[in-house]
Amino acid sequence: MNDSIRVLVLGTGQMGSGIARLVLQKHGLQLAGLYARRRQREGMDVGRVIGLDRDLGIHVETNLENVLDRVRPHVAIQATCSTVADAVKEISVLLGHGVHVISIAEEMAFPRYRSPTIADTLEALARQHSAAVLGTGINPGFVLDFLIITLTGVCADVQAINAQRVNDLAPYGPSVLATQGVGLTPEDFGKGIESGTVVGHIGFPESIHMIASALGWTIDRIEEERKPIISNVFRETPFVVVQPGQVAGCLHRAVAYRGDKTVVTLNHPQQIHPQLEGVETGDVIEITGTPNLRLAGTPEIPGGEGTCALAVNMIPRVLNAKPGLYSMADLPIPAAVLGDVRKLLAKGVVKTSHG
Amino acid sequence: MNDSIRVLVLGTGQMGSGIARLVLQKHGLQLAGLYARRRQREGMDVGRVIGLDRDLGIHVETNLENVLDRVRPHVAIQATCSTVADAVKEISVLLGHGVHVISIAEEMAFPRYRSPTIADTLEALARQHSAAVLGTGINPGFVLDFLIITLTGVCADVQAINAQRVNDLAPYGPSVLATQGVGLTPEDFGKGIESGTVVGHIGFPESIHMIASALGWTIDRIEEERKPIISNVFRETPFVVVQPGQVAGCLHRAVAYRGDKTVVTLNHPQQIHPQLEGVETGDVIEITGTPNLRLAGTPEIPGGEGTCALAVNMIPRVLNAKPGLYSMADLPIPAAVLGDVRKLLAKGVVKTSHG
């Protein structure tokens, strides 16, 4: 068997740490390095940073070029940011080194919509350096787009799509909680929306355009609405405390139109501990078409855990792909990688020059 | 825009007819011909055979070589049979003419398990003639394998898979009803199982091995059990009458083991009009793993309608694929094709030599 696939993880938050822990568990993968944007993490032992109770003998690095030159990864998983504008610099450096990239930045799920020029640049760079780039994650990237598209595959016609994801933000870190306004007063939530510190869900336009692109629809406009979910009870997580009357999360909704016709409606109320007020979490997809379809699951597919797993499980798909920029709708389906990851690779896809 | 994609449909039963009707509705597809195994259909107008109330001016043909030479299709959809052994001759002829093939023969969903030698031959033939072959269908091919694999993609680990599909056979034609023993006495059902005329669901080993292959599991053994579903009430379809005490369908179950551990359990009670005895149809997938997952839908994804749609919706995926033999787990996800199919094709995939 070949040497292990060397994986570089970018990001030391909840997601980066979870991904790194999972890489350590998989046969055929080697956690080659961990990159942090935060300078103060330089030199810390990776094991401690990702929440293990032991040292791993490898250290967090904060200079991306240096870590690439030293560990020569085959693939990198980016968990440092949410927007394409913020993600593009690291991705470009990775591609420039011929490293395949899996990004969980929300906007990278379908970068071509908001950032067509950057998408073209990444596509060209990927081809130039024989690497593939994929944006993935539970949402966007799976529940409210990929699964919907998959289900339409059994339809002769589709009139409208309605989907809802009711989730629990309690497992998330402080940066995610802040972007949903968790812990704010209703007044500060409104100010946060205006100033852009409270953003709600990032990814509705990406999901909608991924769906539209797959189905052959042109979308004329998307309307988004964000409302505070005001708690009637005390709620808390390790990172935030919500008093009654304060904001437990954000109810974010997007509606896409073709002409005057509503074709996609996505609802995504995100809050910490919804069950404390009797709200059941879950995912629901409804397709009005030929045939009508409805698929639902309770509780919701866990966002954090699921995103980490998806990012790692897509490694063989990305390594097998032709060079280029991909969304989840462009590659073969993910599958839990339970055996040796290397057995899933087409011959020759792990470049020996990296060895 | 290029000329239309010429589609040849093989089979004039419920499925072949449904597929042909759908091909007629899609922009960018042309129903180039309809092939029947039944000699008595030779020369009949295709419109009447597929259930339209008008002539189409093209005629059913029963010599496959002749129809291929005449219409030079880009892709053929095979709806003539269930087993690989029965399907291989037509597929080989199609591939020999450089025609891409989508087969809804149940065993073609994962031919490598039951027929590894034939699978190798088809793979070689496909590559030799620059064509792709895909097995698809709602089950096997989608609900009890493809969707399950997709869901495991969000799992860090999988311990066991349980899935159930409760469906209604009422929309199906006489050949499907006969293979499920519908309308027999319980005694004749037992004899039918022994003689092989009652087969239950075709496709459990295919689904299980498709799942195992995607996850990196080796399956040590599969146990299958078929029981008659005895009706307490009168049930009927255009093709069969079931009196109380007679068989309304077949409860077929498969359990797959790794060593002594049950890893996959698939339940598939198939009968006509289950709602007449208060049985709700539906699909349920449960994954025991990290995380646990459950996704369910009621009623079931319709088998006949869904299979026709899937076969047609996979046309662009098959035309874009590299030459070879594929299962649904090997290609990008299906999507309802609502716009012009030709817009979904990579450049140059429809060979101009066919024009």
Side-chain angles (χ1 to χ4, degrees), chain A residues 22 26 138 146 149-150 152-156 215 217 290-291 294-297 302 305 309-310 313 330-334 336 338, chain B residues 22 26 138 146 149-150 152-156 215 217 290-291 294-297 302 305 309-310 313 330-336 338:
Chain A
L22 195 50
K26 294 288 173 190
I138 286 298
F146 177 86
I149 296 167
T150 302
T152 70
V154 307
C155 293
L215 271 58
W217 275 346
T290 311
R294 186 178 196 279
L295 213 62
E305 225 179 327
L310 253 188
N313 287 332
D330 304 321
L331 293 179
I333 52 169
L338 305 180
Chain B
L22 196 49
K26 294 288 174 190
I138 286 298
F146 176 86
I149 295 167
T150 302
T152 70
V154 306
C155 293
L215 271 58
W217 274 348
T290 312
R294 185 177 198 278
L295 213 61
E305 221 178 333
L310 253 187
N313 287 332
D330 303 321
L331 294 179
I333 51 169
L338 305 180

Side-chain angles (χ1 to χ4, degrees), chain B residues 46-68:
Chain B
V46 166
R48 304 296 169 167
V49 169
I50 66 175
L52 302 181
D53 55 2
R54 65 182 197 279
D55 285 348
L56 287 177
I58 56 172
H59 301 92
V60 175
E61 301 185 53
T62 59
N63 181 308
L64 187 56
E65 295 271 2
N66 286 359
V67 67
L68 287 172

Side-chain angles (χ1 to χ4, degrees), chain A residues 18 21-22 25-26 138 300-313 335-338, chain B residues 150-161 215 217 261 286-294:
Chain A
R21 289 194 303 270
L22 195 50
Q25 290 169 25
K26 294 288 173 190
I138 286 298
E300 87 281 17
I301 297 177
E305 225 179 327
T307 294
C308 295
L310 253 188
V312 173
N313 287 332
V337 177
L338 305 180
Chain B
T150 302
L151 285 176
T152 70
V154 306
C155 293
D157 193 26
V158 176
Q159 295 298 322
I161 292 162
L215 271 58
W217 274 348
K261 195 184 164 208
E286 289 175 335
I287 296 172
T288 308
T290 312
N292 294 322
L293 296 175
R294 185 177 198 278

Side-chain angles (χ1 to χ4, degrees), chain B residues 7-337:
Chain B
V7 185
L8 171 69
V9 175
L10 283 72
T12 54
Q14 297 270 311
M15 292 297 99
S17 297
I19 290 165
R21 288 194 304 270
L22 196 49
V23 167
L24 288 170
Q25 290 168 24
K26 294 288 174 190
H27 293 284
L29 298 184
Q30 181 199 340
L31 181 61
L34 182 63
Y35 161 86
R37 286 188 176 185
R38 287 173 262 192
R39 294 269 173 203
Q40 65 271 31
R41 301 222 153 161
E42 174 78 38
M44 292 173 72
D45 189 90
V46 166
R48 304 296 169 167
V49 169
I50 66 175
L52 302 181
D53 55 2
R54 65 182 197 279
D55 285 348
L56 287 177
I58 56 172
H59 301 92
V60 175
E61 301 185 53
T62 59
N63 181 308
L64 187 56
E65 295 271 2
N66 286 359
V67 67
L68 287 172
D69 287 341
R70 198 175 57 72
V71 308
R72 304 178 74 75
H74 297 102
V75 59
I77 302 180
Q78 182 189 43
T80 49
C81 56
S82 290
T83 68
V84 170
D86 197 2
V88 64
K89 192 175 158 196
E90 287 162 359
I91 297 176
S92 300
V93 172
L94 293 162
L95 292 177
H97 283 71
V99 177
H100 301 286
V101 182
I102 295 169
S103 176
I104 65 162
E106 286 92 332
E107 288 184 13
M108 280 298 297
F110 198 79
R112 212 165 278 293
Y113 167 63
R114 264 194 250 234
S115 315
T117 313
I118 295 179
D120 285 345
T121 306
L122 290 178
E123 173 96 53
L125 203 56
R127 292 184 182 190
Q128 187 186 339
H129 295 278
S130 297
V133 196
L134 168 71
T136 193
I138 286 298
N139 188 31
F142 195 80
V143 176
L144 294 183
D145 36 42
F146 176 86
L147 265 188
I148 291 171
I149 295 167
T150 302
L151 285 176
T152 70
V154 306
C155 293
D157 193 26
V158 176
Q159 295 298 322
I161 292 162
N162 277 269
Q164 174 159 282
R165 175 166 170 79
V166 181
N167 68 339
D168 183 356
L169 291 178
Y172 283 83
S175 57
V176 168
L177 299 176
T179 59
Q180 307 302 319
V182 182
L184 299 180
T185 62
E187 193 186 351
D188 285 345
F189 182 96
K191 287 179 190 164
I193 293 281
E194 277 176 39
S195 70
T197 56
V198 176
V199 293
H201 172 59
I202 302 177
F204 276 140
E206 284 71 19
S207 289
I208 289 166
H209 282 278
M210 195 194 305
I211 295 167
S213 166
L215 271 58
W217 274 348
T218 13
I219 298 296
D220 293 313
R221 74 180 197 284
I222 296 174
E223 288 173 5
E224 293 192 60
E225 183 185 67
R226 295 168 191 83
K227 288 182 182 168
I229 300 169
I230 297 166
S231 193
N232 294 306
V233 298
F234 178 82
R235 310 187 193 189
E236 68 174 332
T237 81
F239 300 107
V240 73
V241 168
V242 175
Q243 301 291 346
Q246 288 185 327
V247 174
C250 177
L251 170 52
H252 196 163
R253 177 187 161 94
V255 183
Y257 298 86
R258 305 188 71 203
D260 288 336
K261 195 184 164 208
T262 303
V263 288
V264 184
T265 305
L266 303 178
N267 261 305
H268 191 17
Q270 299 200 82
Q271 62 199 294
I272 59 164
H273 298 308
Q275 77 285 359
L276 292 179
E277 295 199 35
V279 174
E280 197 176 50
T281 62
D283 301 302
V284 183
I285 297 171
E286 289 175 335
I287 296 172
T288 308
T290 312
N292 294 322
L293 296 175
R294 185 177 198 278
L295 213 61
T298 298
E300 87 280 19
I301 296 176
E305 221 178 333
T307 294
C308 294
L310 253 187
V312 173
N313 287 332
M314 287 305 287
I315 289 176
R317 303 286 183 266
V318 167
L319 265 60
N320 285 336
K322 283 192 293 187
L325 172 65
Y326 294 95
S327 82
M328 286 294 287
D330 303 321
L331 294 179
I333 51 169
V337 177

